[in-house]
Amino acid sequence: MKLVAAFVVATLSLPFGTQAFAQSTQAPITRAEVRQQLIDAEADGLLPSNRNDYPPSQSQIARNRQLYALQHPDAAPVATASTGN
């Protein structure tokens, strides 16, 4: 009986054990990459955003871009993804 119980436990635990060895195909990013992503998001007007306006509206993005341009006059202008049609 103990042999049957051990076999059942081993059989049921196999699917859970395979997930523990699954590897992520995406490599971890470095601290410098995270910092650059935050700088890019701020330059794109996505940060900071209001808690009540998430995701930020187009007017909020435009305002954030203006504020970023005023705070960083040496930064290159950011190209927009939308054409505004």
Side-chain angles (χ1 to χ4, degrees):
M1 184 67 182
K2 288 183 182 181
L3 181 62
V4 173
F7 181 72
V8 170
V9 169
T11 304
L12 292 176
S13 65
L14 282 177
F16 300 110
T18 58
Q19 292 177 356
F21 294 108
Q23 295 181 359
S24 174
T25 58
Q26 186 178 13
I29 58 177
T30 65
R31 182 177 293 194
E33 290 171 331
V34 171
R35 182 168 168 75
Q36 188 59 47
Q37 288 176 355
L38 286 171
I39 291 170
D40 293 341
E42 187 179 7
D44 291 340
L46 300 176
L47 295 177
S49 69
N50 187 352
R51 269 194 231 171
N52 299 326
D53 190 20
Y54 183 83
S57 63
Q58 291 299 320
S59 61
Q60 183 67 36
I61 291 172
R63 178 68 181 142
N64 289 344
R65 284 183 180 160
Q66 289 174 348
L67 291 174
Y68 184 83
L70 290 173
Q71 293 172 356
H72 303 91
D74 56 339
V78 178
T80 59
S82 63
T83 58
N85 290 335

